[in-house]
Amino acid sequence: KQEVTQIPAALSVPEGENLVLNCSFTDSAIYNLQWFRQDPGKGLTSLLLIQSSQREQTSGRLNASLDKSSGRSTLYIAASQPGDSATYLCAITKYGGSQGNLIFGKGTKLSVKP
Amino acid sequence: NAGVTQTPKFQVLKTGQSMTLQCAQDMNHNSMYWYRQDPGMGLRLIYYSASEGTTDKGEVPNGYNVSRLNKREFSLRLESAAPSQTSVYFCASSPLAGATYEQYFGPGTRLTVT
C-alpha cells in the first residue's frame, strides 16, 4: 500500500530562515505530487504540482523538487515569514489508483517566529 | 469567483440522524471529490465524480452516499450518522479527473456526531 510520510511533524524557525520540508513515498510509480498549505480551521490551498516527468517547480519563494527513484520530494521555502506559518501537506497520485485519488501525508506544522 | 463553497460550515448531529453536506463550484470543473480529515489519519477520499452523471467510491465510502446534481454541485449524504463519522469534510474539484490536474478545495464542514 502506498504510504506518504512527512518528517518532521512540526517545525519552528525564526523569521528569515530558509527551510526545507520533506515528503517521502513508498512506491515510485506516481503520476504527480502536489504540495498544499492548510491554515488552522481552513481548507487546503494548492501550492505546487509536480508531474512525474518533472524534477521541480517554483512559485515565488517556494521551490518543490521531486526524485521518483528515491521516493522523495522537498519543499524549500526561502526567507520565511510569520505568514508562512501553517500546516504543509504533500499528496501523490499513483498509477492504478482511482482517478484523482490523492494520497496525503499527515503534514508538517510550520511555525515562523518574528 | 467563489471557487469551491461548502455548506454548512459546522454541524452537530445525534447518532442516527441524517444530513446532507452541500458543495458547489463555479470554475466549470468536470470532476468533484469528497474527502474527510481526521487527526492522525490525514485526508482520505470518500467518493468522487469524474464527470456529471458518474460517481465512484474512494477509500472510505461506507456510511455515505453522494449525488452529482449537476455540473456545479456534488452532495454528500449521511443516512444514519455515527460517532465514527465525526470529522472535517472537504469538497474539491478539478478541471478533469486524472492525475495531471490540480484539485481545488473548499473551506470544509466540521461535523460532530454525539
Side-chain angles (χ1 to χ4, degrees):
Chain A
K1 181 181 176 182
Q2 176 71 271
E3 291 187 352
V4 179
T5 304
Q6 293 185 249
I7 295 174
L11 180 64
S12 181
V13 300
E15 181 177 3
E17 263 200 17
N18 302 323
L19 60 99
V20 174
L21 305 180
N22 297 295
C23 174
S24 62
F25 43 94
T26 53
D27 186 345
S28 63
I30 64 169
Y31 275 123
N32 63 31
L33 185 143
Q34 196 166 351
W35 281 95
F36 293 90
R37 169 187 173 133
Q38 185 174 27
D39 293 286
K42 305 290 186 182
L44 281 69
T45 301
S46 178
L47 297 173
L48 291 164
L49 171 69
I50 311 177
Q51 304 292 352
S52 62
S53 58
Q54 298 175 320
R55 298 281 293 179
E56 65 178 319
Q57 283 283 345
T58 298
S59 176
R61 294 183 294 109
L62 305 179
N63 177 277
S65 67
L66 175 63
D67 185 343
K68 280 179 54 180
S69 62
S70 66
R72 294 183 179 182
S73 176
T74 60
L75 179 67
Y76 174 81
I77 302 177
S80 59
Q81 303 170 357
D84 295 329
S85 298
T87 296
Y88 290 81
L89 300 164
C90 71
I92 63 98
T93 306
K94 64 174 185 176
Y95 285 107
S98 302
Q99 290 190 29
N101 186 2
L102 292 173
I103 301 173
F104 283 85
K106 295 177 183 178
T108 294
K109 186 175 182 179
L110 173 65
S111 175
V112 181
K113 298 183 177 181
Chain B
N1 190 336
V4 180
T5 57
Q6 293 182 237
T7 56
K9 286 188 170 57
F10 301 94
Q11 184 71 49
V12 179
L13 292 178
K14 294 184 178 179
T15 297
Q17 288 185 320
S18 63
M19 78 161 295
T20 300
L21 282 64
Q22 306 286 351
C23 173
Q25 51 88 13
D26 62 2
M27 296 176 283
N28 200 35
H29 285 173
N30 287 290
S31 303
M32 299 184 74
Y33 312 84
W34 277 105
Y35 292 86
R36 60 179 288 174
Q37 185 177 35
D38 302 295
M41 297 295 293
L43 282 95
R44 293 175 292 170
L45 183 67
I46 305 171
Y47 271 94
Y48 68 98
S49 171
S51 61
E52 186 178 356
T54 69
T55 60
D56 285 286
K57 296 178 180 179
E59 183 183 353
V60 288
N62 291 344
Y64 305 95
N65 287 300
V66 290
S67 295
R68 184 73 183 268
L69 304 170
N70 48 56
K71 190 173 184 179
R72 290 186 64 248
E73 298 172 290
F74 188 36
S75 63
L76 179 72
R77 182 161 178 84
L78 287 70
E79 291 290 352
S80 179
S84 62
Q85 294 178 304
T86 293
S87 187
V88 182
Y89 291 86
F90 290 101
C91 178
S93 70
S94 65
L96 289 170
T100 58
Y101 299 97
E102 288 182 68
Q103 291 187 21
Y104 297 83
F105 282 74
T109 293
R110 282 145 188 84
L111 175 66
T112 301
V113 182
T114 61

